[in-house]
PDB file of all heavy atoms in Angstrom:
ATOM      1  N   GLU A  54      85.690 102.734  90.400  1.00 90.00           N
ATOM      2  CA  GLU A  54      85.557 103.100  88.990  1.00 90.00           C
ATOM      3  C   GLU A  54      86.735 102.593  88.161  1.00 90.00           C
ATOM      4  O   GLU A  54      86.552 102.150  87.026  1.00 90.00           O
ATOM      5  CB  GLU A  54      85.409 104.612  88.854  1.00 90.00           C
ATOM      6  CG  GLU A  54      84.084 105.123  89.386  1.00 90.00           C
ATOM      7  CD  GLU A  54      83.993 106.632  89.427  1.00 90.00           C
ATOM      8  OE1 GLU A  54      84.893 107.324  88.891  1.00 90.00           O
ATOM      9  OE2 GLU A  54      83.007 107.143  90.003  1.00 90.00           O
ATOM     10  N   ALA A  55      87.942 102.641  88.726  1.00 91.00           N
ATOM     11  CA  ALA A  55      89.109 102.124  88.010  1.00 91.00           C
ATOM     12  C   ALA A  55      88.990 100.625  87.790  1.00 91.00           C
ATOM     13  O   ALA A  55      89.341 100.103  86.733  1.00 91.00           O
ATOM     14  CB  ALA A  55      90.388 102.453  88.787  1.00 91.00           C
ATOM     15  N   ALA A  56      88.462  99.917  88.784  1.00 88.00           N
ATOM     16  CA  ALA A  56      88.303  98.464  88.673  1.00 88.00           C
ATOM     17  C   ALA A  56      87.217  98.105  87.663  1.00 88.00           C
ATOM     18  O   ALA A  56      87.393  97.197  86.840  1.00 88.00           O
ATOM     19  CB  ALA A  56      87.981  97.864  90.036  1.00 88.00           C
ATOM     20  N   VAL A  57      86.108  98.811  87.699  1.00 86.00           N
ATOM     21  CA  VAL A  57      84.998  98.525  86.778  1.00 86.00           C
ATOM     22  C   VAL A  57      85.422  98.786  85.332  1.00 86.00           C
ATOM     23  O   VAL A  57      84.994  98.088  84.416  1.00 86.00           O
ATOM     24  CB  VAL A  57      83.750  99.359  87.162  1.00 86.00           C
ATOM     25  CG1 VAL A  57      82.704  99.348  86.063  1.00 86.00           C
ATOM     26  CG2 VAL A  57      83.165  98.833  88.456  1.00 86.00           C
ATOM     27  N   LYS A  58      86.300  99.740  85.154  1.00 87.00           N
ATOM     28  CA  LYS A  58      86.777 100.085  83.808  1.00 87.00           C
ATOM     29  C   LYS A  58      87.417  98.882  83.111  1.00 87.00           C
ATOM     30  O   LYS A  58      87.399  98.784  81.892  1.00 87.00           O
ATOM     31  CB  LYS A  58      87.774 101.243  83.920  1.00 87.00           C
ATOM     32  CG  LYS A  58      87.998 102.014  82.675  1.00 87.00           C
ATOM     33  CD  LYS A  58      88.807 103.264  82.989  1.00 87.00           C
ATOM     34  CE  LYS A  58      88.979 104.075  81.735  1.00 87.00           C
ATOM     35  NZ  LYS A  58      89.720 105.298  81.964  1.00 87.00           N
ATOM     36  N   VAL A  59      87.989  97.954  83.886  1.00 86.00           N
ATOM     37  CA  VAL A  59      88.611  96.748  83.311  1.00 86.00           C
ATOM     38  C   VAL A  59      87.814  95.500  83.698  1.00 86.00           C
ATOM     39  O   VAL A  59      88.371  94.409  83.821  1.00 86.00           O
ATOM     40  CB  VAL A  59      90.103  96.603  83.710  1.00 86.00           C
ATOM     41  CG1 VAL A  59      90.941  97.654  83.029  1.00 86.00           C
ATOM     42  CG2 VAL A  59      90.291  96.639  85.215  1.00 86.00           C
ATOM     43  N   ARG A  60      86.494  95.686  83.893  1.00 81.00           N
ATOM     44  CA  ARG A  60      85.574  94.576  84.176  1.00 81.00           C
ATOM     45  C   ARG A  60      85.989  93.795  85.427  1.00 81.00           C
ATOM     46  O   ARG A  60      85.984  92.583  85.456  1.00 81.00           O
ATOM     47  CB  ARG A  60      85.464  93.653  82.961  1.00 81.00           C
ATOM     48  CG  ARG A  60      84.888  94.336  81.756  1.00 81.00           C
ATOM     49  CD  ARG A  60      84.879  93.464  80.530  1.00 81.00           C
ATOM     50  NE  ARG A  60      86.098  92.762  80.231  1.00 81.00           N
ATOM     51  CZ  ARG A  60      87.159  93.282  79.608  1.00 81.00           C
ATOM     52  NH1 ARG A  60      87.155  94.520  79.224  1.00 81.00           N
ATOM     53  NH2 ARG A  60      88.219  92.546  79.354  1.00 81.00           N
ATOM     54  N   PHE A  61      86.328  94.500  86.447  1.00 76.00           N
ATOM     55  CA  PHE A  61      86.743  93.929  87.727  1.00 76.00           C
ATOM     56  C   PHE A  61      85.756  94.456  88.760  1.00 76.00           C
ATOM     57  O   PHE A  61      85.817  95.608  89.145  1.00 76.00           O
ATOM     58  CB  PHE A  61      88.159  94.421  88.056  1.00 76.00           C
ATOM     59  CG  PHE A  61      88.892  93.597  89.049  1.00 76.00           C
ATOM     60  CD1 PHE A  61      90.020  92.901  88.673  1.00 76.00           C
ATOM     61  CD2 PHE A  61      88.476  93.503  90.361  1.00 76.00           C
ATOM     62  CE1 PHE A  61      90.724  92.141  89.588  1.00 76.00           C
ATOM     63  CE2 PHE A  61      89.167  92.740  91.278  1.00 76.00           C
ATOM     64  CZ  PHE A  61      90.295  92.064  90.893  1.00 76.00           C
ATOM     65  N   TYR A  62      84.808  93.636  89.183  1.00 67.00           N
ATOM     66  CA  TYR A  62      83.660  94.160  89.903  1.00 67.00           C
ATOM     67  C   TYR A  62      83.665  93.983  91.408  1.00 67.00           C
ATOM     68  O   TYR A  62      82.824  94.531  92.083  1.00 67.00           O
ATOM     69  CB  TYR A  62      82.376  93.547  89.340  1.00 67.00           C
ATOM     70  CG  TYR A  62      82.189  93.874  87.889  1.00 67.00           C
ATOM     71  CD1 TYR A  62      82.338  92.898  86.926  1.00 67.00           C
ATOM     72  CD2 TYR A  62      81.909  95.169  87.492  1.00 67.00           C
ATOM     73  CE1 TYR A  62      82.189  93.205  85.589  1.00 67.00           C
ATOM     74  CE2 TYR A  62      81.757  95.491  86.160  1.00 67.00           C
ATOM     75  CZ  TYR A  62      81.894  94.501  85.206  1.00 67.00           C
ATOM     76  OH  TYR A  62      81.758  94.804  83.895  1.00 67.00           O
ATOM     77  N   LEU A  63      84.559  93.199  91.966  1.00 66.00           N
ATOM     78  CA  LEU A  63      84.492  92.935  93.397  1.00 66.00           C
ATOM     79  C   LEU A  63      85.523  93.759  94.149  1.00 66.00           C
ATOM     80  O   LEU A  63      86.722  93.598  93.981  1.00 66.00           O
ATOM     81  CB  LEU A  63      84.714  91.443  93.652  1.00 66.00           C
ATOM     82  CG  LEU A  63      84.369  90.937  95.032  1.00 66.00           C
ATOM     83  CD1 LEU A  63      82.951  91.341  95.427  1.00 66.00           C
ATOM     84  CD2 LEU A  63      84.476  89.438  95.074  1.00 66.00           C
ATOM     85  N   LEU A  64      85.040  94.667  94.963  1.00 62.00           N
ATOM     86  CA  LEU A  64      85.886  95.560  95.735  1.00 62.00           C
ATOM     87  C   LEU A  64      85.413  95.490  97.182  1.00 62.00           C
ATOM     88  O   LEU A  64      84.225  95.629  97.456  1.00 62.00           O
ATOM     89  CB  LEU A  64      85.733  96.987  95.195  1.00 62.00           C
ATOM     90  CG  LEU A  64      86.724  98.028  95.638  1.00 62.00           C
ATOM     91  CD1 LEU A  64      88.053  97.811  94.901  1.00 62.00           C
ATOM     92  CD2 LEU A  64      86.211  99.417  95.325  1.00 62.00           C
ATOM     93  N   CYS A  65      86.316  95.227  98.123  1.00 67.00           N
ATOM     94  CA  CYS A  65      85.929  95.071  99.531  1.00 67.00           C
ATOM     95  C   CYS A  65      86.742  96.009 100.409  1.00 67.00           C
ATOM     96  O   CYS A  65      87.890  96.311 100.116  1.00 67.00           O
ATOM     97  CB  CYS A  65      86.200  93.640 100.000  1.00 67.00           C
ATOM     98  SG  CYS A  65      85.229  92.413  99.153  1.00 67.00           S
ATOM     99  N   LEU A  66      86.127  96.394 101.495  1.00 62.00           N
ATOM    100  CA  LEU A  66      86.864  97.162 102.488  1.00 62.00           C
ATOM    101  C   LEU A  66      87.763  96.209 103.262  1.00 62.00           C
ATOM    102  O   LEU A  66      87.333  95.136 103.664  1.00 62.00           O
ATOM    103  CB  LEU A  66      85.913  97.865 103.451  1.00 62.00           C
ATOM    104  CG  LEU A  66      84.991  98.910 102.825  1.00 62.00           C
ATOM    105  CD1 LEU A  66      84.067  99.474 103.885  1.00 62.00           C
ATOM    106  CD2 LEU A  66      85.798 100.011 102.173  1.00 62.00           C
ATOM    107  N   LEU A  67      88.988  96.598 103.448  1.00 61.00           N
ATOM    108  CA  LEU A  67      89.996  95.734 104.056  1.00 61.00           C
ATOM    109  C   LEU A  67      89.587  95.253 105.435  1.00 61.00           C
ATOM    110  O   LEU A  67      89.761  94.087 105.773  1.00 61.00           O
ATOM    111  CB  LEU A  67      91.341  96.453 104.119  1.00 61.00           C
ATOM    112  CG  LEU A  67      92.536  95.636 104.567  1.00 61.00           C
ATOM    113  CD1 LEU A  67      92.711  94.402 103.702  1.00 61.00           C
ATOM    114  CD2 LEU A  67      93.794  96.480 104.537  1.00 61.00           C
TER     115      LEU A  67
END
Side-chain angles (χ1 to χ4, degrees):
E54 291 172 9
V57 166
K58 200 170 183 179
V59 290
R60 297 175 313 279
F61 200 114
Y62 299 109
L63 194 52
L64 193 76
C65 296
L66 297 177
L67 187 56

